[in-house]
């Protein structure tokens, strides 16, 4: 096996020129300058462990951890927002940490679980009851729903709203003790049933839910609701800037109301930013879960998934994803980012880091009739034509080689510089060949080309100076490594899958994974480990899949060399 040049690390990020501003970072920097919270900055990334992280989460991660990296002494916590027992699993807690690390972020010892605060949160709830700011409501869920009113209709006060605090307290204790049935009672904040902001109409703080929790087991049968738990979890940790997506903008008055009742120092503030939406992509965890559960993809790490695990398996680098997040900026306006921007980021990064090699996806046999049988020679080829420091390997060559079937045309269109009967082409790094004859099977399909080689063109240039326009990639039949190549394309052909009530599952691109089984690679790629990336010259960027076995390498196409979608659309 030939030695392989290691990947060249690229540190280059998006150039500052095309970087969009980040208003959250700017706001935090202003707070520091003004000495707010004593100049302290603590952010957090709060995933709910109910799915794998996706590229939208990457935006939030780069924002939260990026602030901690940019501002001296600032820190960022990883907090699992695991207050809802029904959907959370240990597998997701594991995958989230793995994916965060892979993306290049380190939380050190700052890993927390909202479930670790259950006792403290219970205490805060008791204090609110005692202060007559919360009460146990014994209405049915349906009665409560009706009582909430609507955008046009003020809510109706619950008959239990004026229950004495002592009575609420006793009921709340019985809720915790498991003496009351699921759904029979809830704890509600006492705020304002006629507020135009429905979030303030006595929101539920606790519900009874007899469910096993992945960390607290069966210790609890009441679980806190998001709005109550989230702000107080921030406050308990000492978070100063609680950064979330725009959907929570009208929850901010509630976030602040809870903090008004139990003054914490420092007092966290909520700042909202626009979530990432990508064209041709679904990013809702619920939909990603549906794709996995319905076996529309092979799993959360299917290379077509927008999850970090999927992108990694596809061959994306963390640097490319971070550069993408840098480049899209952070704003307060919801919009769609064109997925070509993500594709561009990975293409640019792989172009700078990947070594070049040769592989033929659909081999067409080429017999060089004037090359002596049984002989073999090899050519030197640099791993990176632009960077001789990355070394080279030898490429074996003998009487039979493969070229890609699509590089031959029996009746070539105008301007065809590839192979056709009577024409000459250069085999990359090797020599010039001429097509003498075409061999067909009974159905008239071209199965082999009989060619001649020019022994005076070693390295690829003719001695007599004649110009050869076309250069093809190729592999030697004798030493070729067989491979399965998975050609991935966008999972959704539609720009906005599931738009206008369409079922997004019905819009899956049937051509999103084409498996090519008979591919042949140059021998230097034998034994390439899973995760290894390479550019197959003239074909695209590829990554070795973990499904590979000794002697049976599987490559995933990360991305083509050019933006073929854009090109198709322009046509
Ligand atoms: P979904 O809506 O897909 O279920 P979520 O927001 O519930 O996602 P969480 O695990 O709660 O998922 O998200 C953790 C953090 O990541 C939150 O702070 C959330 O705002 C942020 N986040 C989630 N999706 C995006 C996105 N598309 N763009 C930016 N940030 C996101
Ligand atoms: Mg959430």
């Amino acid at each position: 096996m030939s030695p392989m040049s290691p990947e060249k690390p690229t540190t280059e990020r998006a150039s500052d020129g095309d970087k969009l501003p980040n208003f959250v970072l700017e706001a935090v920097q202003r707070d520091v300058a003004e000495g707010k919270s004593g100049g302290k900055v603590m952010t957090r990334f709060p995933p709910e462990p109910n799915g794998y992280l996706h590229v939208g989460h990457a935006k939030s991660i780069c924002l939260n951890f990026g602030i901690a990296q940019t501002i001296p002494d600032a820190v960022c916590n990883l907090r699992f927002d695991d207050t809802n027992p029904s959907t959370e699993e240990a597998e997701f807690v594991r995958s989230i940490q793995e994916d965060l690390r892979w993306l290049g972020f380190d939380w050190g010892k700052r890993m927390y679980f909202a479930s670790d605060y259950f006792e403290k949160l219970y205490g805060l709830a008791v204090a609110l009851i005692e202060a007559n700011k919360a009460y146990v409501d014994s209405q049915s869920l349906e009665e409560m729903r009706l009582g909430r009113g609507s955008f046009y209709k003020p809510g109706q006060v619950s008959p239990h709203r004026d229950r004495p605090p002592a009575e609420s307290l006793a009921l709340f204790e019985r809720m915790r003790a498991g003496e009351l049935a699921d759904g029979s009672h809830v704890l509600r904040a006492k705020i304002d049933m006629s507020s135009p902001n429905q979030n303030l109409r006595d929101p539920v703080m606790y519900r009874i839910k007899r469910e096993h929790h992945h960390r607290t087991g069966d210790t609890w049968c009441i679980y806190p609701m998001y709005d109550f738990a989230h702000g107080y979890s921030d406050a308990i940790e000492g978070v100063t800037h609680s950064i979330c997506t725009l959907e929570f903008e009208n929850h901010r008055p509630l976030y602040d109301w809870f903090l008004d009742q139990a003054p914490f120092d420092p007092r966290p503030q909520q700042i909202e930013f626009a979530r990432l939406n990508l064209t041709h992509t679904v990013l809702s965890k619920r939909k990603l879960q549906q794709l996995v559960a319905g076996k529309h993809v092979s799993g959360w790490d299917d290379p077509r998934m927008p999850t970090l695990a999927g992108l990694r398996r596809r061959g994306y680098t963390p640097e490319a994803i971070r550069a993408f997040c840098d480049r899209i900026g952070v704003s307060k306006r919801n919009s769609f980012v064109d997925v070509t921007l993500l594709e561009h980021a990975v293409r640019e990064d792989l172009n700078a880091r990947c070594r070049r090699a040769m592989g033929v996806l659909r081999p067409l046999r080429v017999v060089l009739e004037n090359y002596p049988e049984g002989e073999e020679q090899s050519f030197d080829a640099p791993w990176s034509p632009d960077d001789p420091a990355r070394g080279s390997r030898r490429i074996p060559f003998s009487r039979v080689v493969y070229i890609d079937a699509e590089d031959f045309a029996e009746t070539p269109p105008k301007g065809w510089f590839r192979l056709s009967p009577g024409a000459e082409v250069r085999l990359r790094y090797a020599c010039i060949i001429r097509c003498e004859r075409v061999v067909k099977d009974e159905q008239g399909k071209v199965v082999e080309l009989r060619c001649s080689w020019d022994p005076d063109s070693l390295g690829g240039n003719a001695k007599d100076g004649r110009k050869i326009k076309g250069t093809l990639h190729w592999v030697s039949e004798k030493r070729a490594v067989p491979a399965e190549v998975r050609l991935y394309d966008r999972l959704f052909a539609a720009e906005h899958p599931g738009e206008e009530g369409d079922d997004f599952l019905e819009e899956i691109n049937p051509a999103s994974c084409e498996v090519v089984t008979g591919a042949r690679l140059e021998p230097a790629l034998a034994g390439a480990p899973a995760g290894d990336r390479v550019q197959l010259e003239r074909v695209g960027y590829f990554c070795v899949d973990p499904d590979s076995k000794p002697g049976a390498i599987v490559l995933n196409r990360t991305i083509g060399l050019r933006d073929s979608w854009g090109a198709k659309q322009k046509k």
Side-chain angles (χ1 to χ4, degrees), residues 42-60:
M42 185 189 288
T43 57
R44 85 287 172 267
F45 172 64
E48 188 179 344
N50 61 351
Y52 275 57
L53 295 181
H54 54 62
V55 62
H57 292 119
K59 178 177 180 179
S60 170

Side-chain angles (χ1 to χ4, degrees), residues 44-50 54 56-57 59-60 64 81 243-245 247-248 273-277 283-286:
R44 85 287 172 267
F45 172 64
E48 188 179 344
N50 61 351
H54 54 62
H57 292 119
K59 178 177 180 179
S60 170
N64 281 292
D81 196 347
I243 301 162
C244 64
T245 44
E247 314 88 84
F248 290 96
F273 71 102
R275 68 191 296 117
L276 173 68
N277 300 304
L283 285 183
S284 127
K285 262 193 266 179
R286 189 179 52 78

Side-chain angles (χ1 to χ4, degrees), residues 485-522:
V485 179
R486 300 176 183 167
L487 300 176
Y488 292 109
D489 200 346
R490 293 179 185 164
L491 187 54
F492 296 98
E495 192 171 338
H496 299 293
E499 199 184 29
E500 290 163 15
D502 297 341
D503 180 3
F504 77 103
L505 292 172
E506 282 176 13
E507 293 184 294
I508 292 178
N509 175 7
S512 59
C513 176
E514 183 190 350
V515 179
V516 175
T517 47
R520 294 285 184 279
L521 309 176
E522 65 165 279

Side-chain angles (χ1 to χ4, degrees), residues 223-470:
Y223 289 96
M225 301 298 286
Y226 177 87
D227 285 310
F228 164 72
H230 199 83
Y232 281 148
S233 299
D234 286 340
I236 289 167
E237 277 168 27
V239 166
T240 56
H241 298 82
S242 178
I243 301 162
C244 64
T245 44
L246 276 179
E247 314 88 84
F248 290 96
E249 194 165 20
N250 60 7
H251 293 236
R252 186 169 3 118
L254 180 53
Y255 186 94
D256 287 337
W257 184 88
F258 279 121
L259 290 172
D260 287 342
Q261 315 311 314
F264 278 91
D265 184 26
R267 178 192 166 110
Q269 57 167 317
Q270 178 178 308
I271 305 179
E272 309 87 18
F273 71 102
R275 68 191 296 117
L276 173 68
N277 300 304
L278 266 185
T279 59
H280 300 280
T281 310
V282 299
L283 285 183
S284 127
K285 262 193 266 179
R286 189 179 52 78
K287 289 183 177 169
L288 296 177
Q289 159 71 35
Q290 262 177 282
L291 286 168
V292 174
K295 299 209 171 4
H296 301 282
V297 293
S298 64
W300 286 97
D301 70 344
D302 184 298
R304 293 165 296 175
M305 291 281 272
T307 51
L308 297 184
L311 292 168
R312 172 169 64 232
R313 188 165 173 187
R314 174 91 170 240
Y316 273 69
T317 60
E319 289 85 352
I321 296 171
R322 295 200 308 255
F324 166 75
C325 290
D326 252 13
R327 210 166 298 173
I328 57 176
V330 177
S331 83
K332 211 153 176 118
R333 204 176 35 122
N334 271 322
S335 64
F336 271 85
V337 171
D338 197 317
V339 74
T340 51
L341 222 64
L342 179 62
E343 294 168 349
H344 174 73
V346 72
R347 195 179 284 118
E348 195 176 64
D349 184 61
L350 294 179
N351 179 40
R353 75 169 59 235
C354 277
R355 65 191 194 284
R356 272 62 170 164
M358 292 201 288
V360 167
L361 297 195
R362 295 175 180 86
L364 174 59
R365 207 161 179 262
V366 172
V367 180
L368 305 170
E369 293 182 306
N370 59 338
Y371 194 96
E373 301 239 16
E375 260 187 40
E376 191 175 27
Q377 66 193 103
S378 66
F379 296 97
D380 196 55
W383 283 118
S384 166
D386 305 330
D387 185 1
R390 299 189 69 192
S392 62
R393 80 287 189 194
R394 304 290 300 180
I395 306 183
F397 177 77
S398 53
R399 188 176 153 89
V400 184
V401 299
Y402 293 121
I403 63 168
D404 243 314
E406 62 178 39
D407 281 335
F408 174 78
E410 200 174 6
T411 39
K414 237 181 110 193
W416 179 263
F417 297 127
R418 297 181 247 171
L419 205 53
S420 59
E424 281 190 309
V425 291
R426 178 184 298 108
L427 296 184
R428 178 89 158 137
Y429 305 117
C431 61
I432 295 168
I433 62 166
R434 175 201 302 277
C435 177
E436 310 290 353
R437 260 176 322 116
V438 177
V439 181
K440 296 182 181 176
D441 64 10
E442 281 153 19
Q443 281 79 46
K445 189 178 161 238
V446 178
V447 288
E448 188 176 288
L449 303 179
R450 306 298 287 195
C451 297
S452 59
W453 79 300
D454 175 359
D456 282 337
S457 65
L458 296 187
N461 289 317
K463 221 178 204 171
D464 61 9
R466 69 186 190 281
K467 288 264 177 299
I468 304 295
K469 281 201 172 151

Side-chain angles (χ1 to χ4, degrees), residues 44-270:
R44 85 287 172 267
F45 172 64
E48 188 179 344
N50 61 351
Y52 275 57
L53 295 181
H54 54 62
V55 62
H57 292 119
K59 178 177 180 179
S60 170
I61 293 164
C62 290
L63 176 56
N64 281 292
F65 281 93
I67 287 171
Q69 287 173 346
T70 309
I71 295 178
D73 299 326
V75 291
C76 179
N77 302 344
L78 166 59
R79 182 198 320 142
F80 288 99
D81 196 347
D82 59 349
T83 52
N84 181 7
S86 36
T87 53
E88 290 149 7
E89 284 176 36
E91 184 205 343
F92 299 132
V93 171
R94 183 202 57 75
S95 76
I96 288 170
Q97 293 177 65
E98 181 184 346
D99 294 346
L100 255 170
R101 263 193 216 104
W102 174 77
L103 193 57
F105 295 98
D106 182 10
W107 53 92
K109 295 196 164 103
R110 318 195 64 85
M111 180 165 86
Y112 305 105
F113 290 84
S115 56
D116 286 346
Y117 310 142
F118 279 169
E119 195 60 56
K120 279 192 181 139
L121 292 170
Y122 183 83
L124 285 160
V126 166
L128 285 179
I129 300 170
E130 286 168 348
N132 199 14
K133 301 278 188 179
Y135 60 98
V136 170
D137 197 347
S138 313
Q139 293 184 100
S140 71
L141 292 176
E142 181 61 11
E143 282 165 335
M144 266 197 321
R145 197 184 58 76
L146 291 173
R148 277 251 129 139
S150 67
F151 181 74
Y152 305 100
K153 217 171 96 194
Q156 275 180 5
V157 166
S158 160
H160 310 288
R161 197 175 200 260
D162 292 324
R163 191 171 248 167
E167 196 180 313
S168 280
L169 207 52
L171 280 169
F172 190 47
E173 277 164 14
R174 291 183 60 206
M175 280 168 67
R176 175 181 183 164
E179 292 171 22
L180 303 170
D182 286 24
S184 63
H185 300 72
V186 294
L187 181 69
R188 295 178 79 172
K190 194 184 277 191
I191 308 181
D192 180 1
M193 285 309 286
S194 56
S195 171
N197 183 340
Q198 291 187 63
N199 293 308
L200 296 178
R201 293 184 189 172
D202 291 9
V204 173
M205 291 165 54
Y206 270 92
R207 67 230 192 278
I208 308 171
K209 207 167 181 175
R210 284 178 171 72
E211 262 178 79
H212 192 81
H213 186 279
H214 77 118
R215 296 190 87 233
T216 58
D218 298 315
T219 307
W220 294 87
C221 64
I222 55 171
Y223 289 96
M225 301 298 286
Y226 177 87
D227 285 310
F228 164 72
H230 199 83
Y232 281 148
S233 299
D234 286 340
I236 289 167
E237 277 168 27
V239 166
T240 56
H241 298 82
S242 178
I243 301 162
C244 64
T245 44
L246 276 179
E247 314 88 84
F248 290 96
E249 194 165 20
N250 60 7
H251 293 236
R252 186 169 3 118
L254 180 53
Y255 186 94
D256 287 337
W257 184 88
F258 279 121
L259 290 172
D260 287 342
Q261 315 311 314
F264 278 91
D265 184 26
R267 178 192 166 110
Q269 57 167 317
Q270 178 178 308

